[in-house]
Amino acid sequence: MKKKVVIVGGVAGGASAAARLRRLDEKAEIILLEKGDYISYANCGLPYYIGGVIKEREDLFLQTPQRLRTQYNIDVRTGHEVLKINRTEKTVEVKEVASGRLYTETYDILLLSPGAAPLRPKIPGLEGENVFTLRNVYDTDGIKNYLLEHRPQKALVLGASFIGLEIAENLVEAGLEVAIVDLASRVLPKNLDYEMAAPLHCHLRKQGIKLYLNTAVSAVERREGQVRALLSNGGQIPYDLAIVSVGTLPQSQLAKAAGLELGVNGAIRVNSSLQTSDPNIYAVGDAIEVESGITGEKTYLPLAGPANRQGRLAADAISGRTIQYEGVIGTAIVKVFGLTAASVGLTEESLKASGAHYLVAITHPASHATYYPGASPVAIKLLFTREGRILGAQVVGAQSVDKCIDVLATVLKTGGTVDDLARLELAYAPPYSSAKSPVNIAGYVAGNIIRGDMKAVSWEQILDHDNPGLVLLDVREKIEVEAGHLEGALHIPLNDLRKRLHELPKDKEIVVYCQVGLRAYIAARILKQNGFKVSNLNGGWRTLKPILEDRMANLCQDKSGS
């Protein structure tokens, strides 16, 4: 029997489902209804077109309506908005946008892929032709045209999300002065913990970006032809162009009106077969609630990768194949000028909030063999259980970040442990990695912590708490100490430690640190086996330095009020 499938919405989820469905079922009648003019475009590439990195607008379009019609025999109707779902009659009410004509379309199976809409905070005065969000091609064209026609000099970006950071970078590339404002204490607050975000803060400031964290825009004031954002800290930011990037909400109004069950954030609730509460209606993409592949909890996580996969799986299910959507682990990555930040799984902040028990390892291995030119540090934060199961990871660096996060995500996804990381046999040649890859090293250090070979102390314990029972010991060389160190720390270079043990107390815990942790680990093993109580500063001085720099920059900014 010929099946009629109506798909509402294109882009990642809907277009992927339509193409996959045709490959599985040549006889099915497939209708794709899209309110806009574009059914498949590179959503994540939009900021780079604005900044001129992507030169041609046409390069943003991955699939055209005409190609879907001719290659896949799909009835693609752009400029057609679905207004209502009648579940009893299995019909949708459709409006042809250009003419206003209304008509009814029947379906056997309905697939919803309406996406998400950008949030617009209710800030007095934040309106006008110079205020934009960035979610689709129309937004992109509006920003691009405004840049060309009005030649703005100063830009305000509200929100330090992925899109916020990407558009900030590309506005700098376009020649603008940029300020970023976010309520959170750090950029990428859902993906990075503070110590992993601090290097990005320092890097953004070096690129000329003004960063206002723990700060809100309370109002916008227009006076004598100038627009100013009034900040909660008393400061002001003049701007010519504003981009709002504070998050998204699922476009679930159609589903809600049809009586379909909704979940977290008002997203459409689906089962493991991507069916809604109506078995004849499926839903995918940024409009649906998903399950965490780590905790099993319901959540909302709009990302392009999962949306594409959901579209493909939904097509399999509609075609009669058995599927089991296993949820999301949230693998994500972003370019921030010359650095890259990536994450997968849970953050330490979310683990603390849930009351979960976890351990942390922070390492700073080189991106490839240090004797081969061009190596640079890669910061890796690994979160794991006492049994070694990986809960999350964060990676920041100039090189090899994508490779590291993909390996970490693969091991996490397959239920692997930190010992699995240590055992991995990965590609090695001096230009690309080291004989012990960065993820091997992360696994080794995590294993040392689990087995009690090394007790780790966090940077917060050292910087933010009184520690009368602790003695700080810096085992770096003198030249390194002179370049920056913790006040009050004893200094004994590692090579001198064995002959100077008598200088250290045995009635207090000694916290050892070096540049990245290796020498401190060696020192800790020496001390422990000589009867001392000892622990290591997780991540060493390389973790502390950007935190101290960031705090100083924030302090100076607070004092100046701008």
Side-chain angles (χ1 to χ4, degrees):
M1 179 179 172
K2 187 176 180 180
K3 186 182 296 182
K4 183 176 181 180
V5 181
V6 174
I7 300 172
V8 180
V11 198
S16 296
R20 173 68 172 171
L21 190 58
R22 174 58 73 217
R23 292 194 295 270
L24 295 177
D25 188 346
E26 181 62 24
K27 297 187 182 300
E29 181 182 358
I30 306 171
I31 301 172
L32 195 158
L33 303 170
E34 168 57 51
K35 179 171 66 174
D37 297 324
Y38 313 104
I39 52 99
S40 184
Y41 55 88
N43 196 293
C44 299
L46 300 179
Y48 300 100
Y49 171 64
I50 292 169
V53 178
I54 296 173
K55 303 296 183 185
E56 301 298 329
R57 183 176 181 273
E58 290 71 26
D59 291 342
L60 295 171
F61 301 104
L62 307 175
Q63 186 67 272
T64 65
Q66 184 58 34
R67 198 180 306 153
L68 268 186
R69 292 185 189 109
T70 55
Q71 283 188 0
Y72 291 92
N73 188 28
I74 293 170
D75 183 355
V76 179
R77 304 177 193 173
T78 55
H80 286 246
E81 180 182 4
V82 175
L83 302 176
K84 185 179 180 182
I85 302 168
N86 188 322
R87 292 166 52 194
T88 304
E89 297 178 5
K90 295 178 73 173
T91 63
V92 290
E93 184 179 318
V94 187
K95 176 183 177 181
E96 188 177 42
V97 177
S99 66
R101 176 177 70 94
L102 299 177
Y103 67 94
T104 299
E105 192 67 63
T106 63
Y107 66 83
D108 296 315
I109 296 293
L110 183 65
L111 173 63
L112 301 178
S113 181
L119 281 167
R120 292 292 295 262
K122 294 180 180 179
I123 298 173
L126 185 65
E127 54 194 24
E129 65 171 356
N130 66 339
V131 180
F132 298 89
T133 56
L134 181 56
R135 182 68 187 174
N136 55 39
V137 175
Y138 304 105
D139 297 334
T140 306
D141 289 341
I143 296 169
K144 191 81 168 178
N145 292 335
Y146 194 87
L147 291 173
L148 292 172
E149 294 171 9
H150 296 273
R151 303 292 178 182
Q153 300 298 306
K154 298 178 184 291
L156 169 67
V157 176
L158 270 69
S161 61
F162 288 112
I163 290 293
L165 294 186
E166 288 170 346
I167 192 62
E169 175 181 344
N170 281 281
L171 289 174
V172 170
E173 293 291 338
L176 280 75
E177 296 178 27
V178 177
I180 299 175
V181 179
D182 200 293
L183 279 168
S185 64
R186 60 197 184 280
V187 301
L188 304 174
K190 294 182 180 179
N191 301 84
L192 300 181
D193 293 311
Y194 174 68
E195 72 272 25
M196 298 299 287
L200 297 180
H201 299 170
C202 299
H203 188 64
L204 286 164
R205 293 188 182 103
K206 287 177 183 176
Q207 307 307 314
I209 286 181
K210 294 179 180 178
L211 198 56
Y212 299 84
L213 300 171
N214 291 307
T215 305
V217 174
S218 53
V220 171
E221 178 183 81
R222 286 175 168 79
R223 186 183 299 173
E224 298 176 355
Q226 191 174 56
V227 185
R228 291 179 179 272
L230 308 181
L231 305 181
S232 57
N233 66 0
Q236 298 183 0
I237 304 175
Y239 69 88
D240 310 309
L241 168 72
I243 309 291
V244 180
S245 178
V246 296
T248 60
L249 279 177
Q251 294 277 64
S252 57
Q253 301 93 326
L254 195 63
K256 182 179 180 180
L260 297 177
E261 187 178 352
L262 304 183
V264 174
N265 271 28
I268 303 168
R269 176 156 288 171
V270 295
N271 62 18
S272 61
S273 296
L274 297 168
Q275 286 172 303
T276 68
S277 51
D278 184 328
N280 296 307
I281 302 178
Y282 292 74
V284 297
D286 292 354
I288 71 168
E289 175 190 71
V290 292
E291 189 176 279
S292 167
I294 303 167
T295 66
E297 294 177 352
K298 300 293 186 181
T299 187
Y300 177 63
L301 190 66
L303 289 172
N308 273 282
R309 177 162 166 72
Q310 291 156 13
R312 179 183 175 91
L313 287 172
D316 284 1
I318 292 168
S319 298
R321 298 188 175 189
T322 301
I323 71 160
Q324 180 79 23
Y325 185 56
E326 67 285 351
V328 296
I329 58 172
T331 312
I333 192 167
V334 63
K335 175 181 176 293
V336 186
F337 294 95
L339 289 180
T340 301
S343 65
V344 64
L346 306 175
T347 62
E348 184 170 7
E349 181 179 70
S350 66
L351 287 166
K352 280 181 180 177
S354 70
H357 296 289
Y358 64 92
L359 296 170
V360 182
I362 300 176
T363 53
H364 296 274
S367 57
H368 60 252
T370 53
Y371 57 81
Y372 187 90
S376 61
V378 181
I380 300 177
K381 180 174 183 177
L382 197 60
L383 298 150
F384 50 97
T385 66
R386 296 186 185 280
E387 295 73 36
R389 179 183 169 229
I390 300 169
L391 301 172
Q394 301 160 38
V395 186
V396 175
Q399 302 177 70
S400 298
V401 173
D402 56 339
K403 177 179 178 179
C404 290
I405 203 66
D406 283 344
V407 172
L408 290 162
T410 301
V411 174
L412 189 157
K413 179 74 173 179
T414 55
T417 67
V418 298
D419 286 336
D420 291 320
L421 291 179
R423 285 191 290 261
L424 286 175
E425 185 179 331
L426 301 173
Y428 159 59
Y432 304 107
S433 187
S434 299
K436 296 176 183 176
S437 80
V439 293
N440 288 147
I441 291 172
Y444 291 143
V445 172
N448 287 341
I449 292 171
I450 288 172
R451 284 180 278 276
D453 295 335
M454 184 182 95
K455 178 184 174 185
V457 171
S458 73
W459 63 268
E460 293 168 291
Q461 180 66 40
I462 299 304
L463 295 184
D464 297 341
H465 295 85
D466 292 327
N467 299 298
L470 300 182
V471 173
L472 295 173
L473 175 61
D474 189 331
V475 295
R476 296 175 298 163
E477 296 301 313
K478 182 180 179 181
I479 190 171
E480 296 173 277
V481 175
E482 290 173 346
H485 62 276
L486 282 169
E487 292 295 327
L490 299 176
H491 174 225
I492 302 177
L494 174 62
N495 292 341
D496 297 340
L497 184 58
R498 286 185 177 89
K499 59 188 177 186
R500 296 177 59 182
L501 293 175
H502 62 279
E503 299 178 26
L504 299 172
K506 285 196 173 183
D507 60 337
K508 293 185 177 182
E509 184 171 347
I510 298 169
V511 178
V512 191
Y513 77 94
C514 63
Q515 197 71 9
V516 298
L518 176 58
R519 284 172 289 175
Y521 173 59
I522 297 169
R525 296 304 300 159
I526 293 170
L527 291 169
K528 185 173 182 179
Q529 293 176 78
N530 278 278
F532 291 89
K533 293 182 289 187
V534 63
S535 56
N536 287 52
L537 176 58
N538 217 341
W541 179 251
R542 189 159 282 161
T543 294
L544 287 177
K545 186 172 182 288
I547 294 172
L548 295 171
E549 289 179 2
D550 184 52
R551 288 184 169 188
M552 181 58 68
N554 289 331
L555 181 63
C556 293
Q557 182 174 279
D558 289 343
K559 287 182 177 179
S560 68
S562 63

